[in-house]
Amino acid sequence: MAIRVMLVDDQVLLRTGFRMVLAAQPDMEVVAEAGDGVEALQVLGATEVDVVLMDVRMPKLDGVETTRRICSDPNPPKVLILTTFDLDEYAFSGLKAGASGFMLKDVPPGELLAAIRSVHSGDAVVAPSTTRRLLDRFAPLLPNAGKEPQHKGLERLTDREREVMILVAQGLSNGEIAARLVLSEATVKTHVGRILTKLGLRDRVQVVVLAYETGLVRAGGLG
């Protein structure tokens, strides 16, 4: 079955360009479009969508709040934030709102298509190291910055899972974590899966965000 994509952007030309790129793919189909967040939520109420390409700066309802509302629903589509500038506050807010990643609007078509497929398969498309740079920059905006971890789910983690979570938040890949802890990659992947389940998170990006938000990891190093 083709990946059902929705385009949300107030610029018609941009939507047209993205639609042309996606229409040429045998495994993708643009099933809906919207010019602002209000319209997007209305359309989503009547349309089955797998991945939403979400602009952030839109009239009526911006992409961050739209993403937050989408991700608060049960079994929501995955959201890819589209931003004009790398590491801006909109990308930061989008990740906190539940997006599975962010892409620059001038991303090469091949990278955009790979990102859509990756998100659809359940992966995050923002490299943990990129997310860490983003959060290092905007850490002062986090409500619990500098405080002790408050998320009750952290208490359910084993010492090893907590250790793995910190390394994920520091931007290490599964392979790098395996080498650091002298474990197999399969074991690390299992630990990451348990962390996601125990904390009610969807992907590694949200692990990184939560680690910063709770103070488990802070800008520039460990908490």
Side-chain angles (χ1 to χ4, degrees), residues 104-180:
L104 297 181
K105 283 191 174 182
D106 61 356
V107 64
E111 291 185 23
L112 175 65
L113 296 172
I116 293 172
R117 295 185 180 104
S118 181
V119 163
H120 181 251
S121 70
D123 293 330
V125 300
V126 183
S129 57
T130 302
T131 309
R132 186 185 178 194
R133 285 192 294 120
L134 179 71
L135 293 176
D136 278 349
R137 177 171 173 178
F138 293 103
L141 301 178
L142 291 166
N144 294 323
K147 299 180 180 180
E148 290 302 311
Q150 297 296 318
H151 194 288
K152 61 183 180 181
L154 292 174
E155 300 173 357
R156 301 175 56 200
L157 300 182
T158 65
D159 289 342
R160 177 63 87 187
E161 289 166 354
R162 193 182 185 93
E163 192 173 14
V164 169
M165 180 176 177
I166 289 172
L167 294 177
V168 167
Q170 290 180 317
L172 275 65
S173 66
N174 284 355
E176 291 168 335
I177 294 173
R180 178 78 63 88

Side-chain angles (χ1 to χ4, degrees), residues 83-95:
T83 181
T84 304
F85 302 103
D86 193 12
L87 302 186
D88 70 11
E89 69 274 17
Y90 292 99
F92 166 80
S93 300
L95 294 177

Side-chain angles (χ1 to χ4, degrees), residues 26-216:
D27 62 337
M28 295 185 190
E29 177 185 7
V30 176
V31 296
E33 296 185 34
D36 60 67
V38 173
E39 183 183 2
L41 294 174
Q42 292 173 342
V43 173
L44 279 172
T47 309
E48 292 290 331
V49 175
D50 299 312
V51 178
V52 179
L53 295 186
M54 180 73 70
D55 185 24
V56 287
R57 307 187 191 195
M58 297 183 295
K60 296 184 181 179
L61 191 66
D62 66 37
V64 174
E65 180 58 28
T66 305
T67 296
R68 184 176 292 110
R69 296 187 189 185
I70 290 173
C71 293
S72 67
D73 290 337
N75 301 315
K78 300 298 177 64
V79 178
L80 262 178
I81 292 287
L82 297 176
T83 181
T84 304
F85 302 103
D86 193 12
L87 302 186
D88 70 11
E89 69 274 17
Y90 292 99
F92 166 80
S93 300
L95 294 177
K96 282 184 59 58
S100 293
F102 69 90
M103 304 290 292
L104 297 181
K105 283 191 174 182
D106 61 356
V107 64
E111 291 185 23
L112 175 65
L113 296 172
I116 293 172
R117 295 185 180 104
S118 181
V119 163
H120 181 251
S121 70
D123 293 330
V125 300
V126 183
S129 57
T130 302
T131 309
R132 186 185 178 194
R133 285 192 294 120
L134 179 71
L135 293 176
D136 278 349
R137 177 171 173 178
F138 293 103
L141 301 178
L142 291 166
N144 294 323
K147 299 180 180 180
E148 290 302 311
Q150 297 296 318
H151 194 288
K152 61 183 180 181
L154 292 174
E155 300 173 357
R156 301 175 56 200
L157 300 182
T158 65
D159 289 342
R160 177 63 87 187
E161 289 166 354
R162 193 182 185 93
E163 192 173 14
V164 169
M165 180 176 177
I166 289 172
L167 294 177
V168 167
Q170 290 180 317
L172 275 65
S173 66
N174 284 355
E176 291 168 335
I177 294 173
R180 178 78 63 88
L181 301 180
V182 194
L183 299 170
S184 69
E185 281 196 50
T187 298
V188 172
K189 186 174 182 180
T190 297
H191 283 312
V192 172
R194 289 173 178 166
I195 291 168
L196 294 176
T197 298
K198 289 183 179 181
L199 298 180
L201 306 176
R202 282 193 303 277
D203 53 46
R204 294 172 72 99
V205 170
Q206 292 193 335
V207 171
V208 180
V209 171
L210 180 63
Y212 273 73
E213 189 174 36
T214 58
L216 186 63

